[in-house]
Amino acid sequence: MTNAAVHMEEGLLAPAHGAVATAAVHAKGQQHPIKLYLLVWGWLFVLSTCSYLVDYFGLHGYLRWSLILLFMVLKAGLIVAVFMHMAWERLALAYAILLPPVAVLVFVSIMVLESEYTHFLRVLFFAGPS
């Protein structure tokens, strides 16, 4: 073979070999350490225990529901970030998935405020809830 043919064959084989090596590096680089998953499982256990302690101590009213919702949102955030790999996704994809639930929470809070206002007006003008 001539020198030109050898260089041409090496040039054709190099990208294929480089692609295989790159794929192997990416496959190995995508694995997360088991310590991360154990840490998240530990936090989920702690947050679940805190949720159950809210009922165990008999908290009532807004404090109870605020704490339960707080722990629920924290657990959901951990699950979405680590187990669904959202912490490593592009920002646009994270916004596409996380923004709609945030918008729903905003609209639900607006409805709660509106319901309190309506209840107040009914008690004020009709002397009792109907």
Side-chain angles (χ1 to χ4, degrees), residues 40 44 73-86:
V40 170
L44 289 173
V73 167
L74 288 174
K75 290 189 293 185
L78 277 173
I79 291 168
V80 167
V82 177
F83 294 118
M84 294 177 68
H85 305 285
M86 286 300 295

Side-chain angles (χ1 to χ4, degrees), residues 66-126:
S66 299
L67 288 174
I68 288 174
L69 288 174
L70 174 72
F71 295 138
M72 177 190 69
V73 167
L74 288 174
K75 290 189 293 185
L78 277 173
I79 291 168
V80 167
V82 177
F83 294 118
M84 294 177 68
H85 305 285
M86 286 300 295
W88 300 280
E89 290 293 333
R90 287 189 212 158
L91 192 58
L93 182 61
Y95 283 153
I97 292 175
L98 297 177
L99 233 48
V102 169
V104 167
L105 287 174
V106 168
F107 291 134
V108 166
S109 62
I110 291 171
M111 287 189 300
V112 167
L113 291 173
E114 180 68 22
S115 70
E116 293 292 329
Y117 174 74
T118 304
H119 178 72
F120 170 73
L121 288 179
R122 286 183 181 171
V123 169
L124 183 66
F125 289 112
F126 298 113

Side-chain angles (χ1 to χ4, degrees), residues 1-15:
M1 263 195 229
T2 65
N3 245 357
V6 170
H7 288 295
M8 221 167 149
E9 284 180 9
E10 287 176 0
L12 292 174
L13 292 178

Side-chain angles (χ1 to χ4, degrees), residues 8-73:
M8 221 167 149
E9 284 180 9
E10 287 176 0
L12 292 174
L13 292 178
H17 176 67
V20 172
T22 305
V25 168
H26 283 288
K28 185 174 183 181
Q30 290 297 321
Q31 296 175 356
H32 304 293
I34 191 74
K35 180 181 177 184
L36 174 68
Y37 292 109
L38 292 175
L39 183 67
V40 170
W41 285 335
W43 275 109
L44 289 173
F45 178 78
V46 167
L47 290 171
S48 294
T49 302
C50 291
S51 273
Y52 292 124
L53 287 176
V54 167
D55 283 334
Y56 180 77
F57 288 125
L59 298 176
H60 295 289
Y62 288 121
L63 177 63
R64 174 186 179 187
W65 291 110
S66 299
L67 288 174
I68 288 174
L69 288 174
L70 174 72
F71 295 138
M72 177 190 69
V73 167

